[in-house]
Amino acid sequence: GQEVAARMHNRGLSKRRLFVVTGRDLKPGILKQGDVDAGEIRQVNSTADKALAVIKLAAASQKDVELKTGQGTGVRLAETSA
């Protein structure tokens, strides 16, 4: 809410970012890294192998990111080219 908007305006800091993730049979829901909530899948494509997810930067900044859905399905950050 208002705290997030103030932090973005005054400091230019964000704690989460939108990522493309890949996996099998993806569904919207919570992503976990170990036992900790790391983000959330928001939208899945029609073949359920790619999705848009909002992920905490602390979780995404690790070299080998291992995320799982609530159902235990493995999820990876998609390779992106700029």
Side-chain angles (χ1 to χ4, degrees), residues 14-21 31 38-40 42 52-58 60-61 77-78 80:
S14 173
K15 293 184 178 185
R16 297 173 181 249
R17 192 177 126 206
L18 189 66
F19 288 90
V20 176
V21 295
L31 289 173
E40 179 181 4
R42 295 286 178 100
L52 292 176
V54 177
I55 300 175
K56 292 179 182 177
L57 291 176
S61 66
L77 297 181
T80 58

Side-chain angles (χ1 to χ4, degrees), residues 45-77:
N45 71 350
S46 60
T47 57
D49 63 348
K50 290 185 182 176
L52 292 176
V54 177
I55 300 175
K56 292 179 182 177
L57 291 176
S61 66
Q62 296 179 7
K63 186 175 181 181
D64 293 322
V65 179
E66 292 185 20
L67 302 173
K68 294 193 183 279
T69 63
Q71 296 80 25
T73 305
V75 176
R76 295 183 146 276
L77 297 181

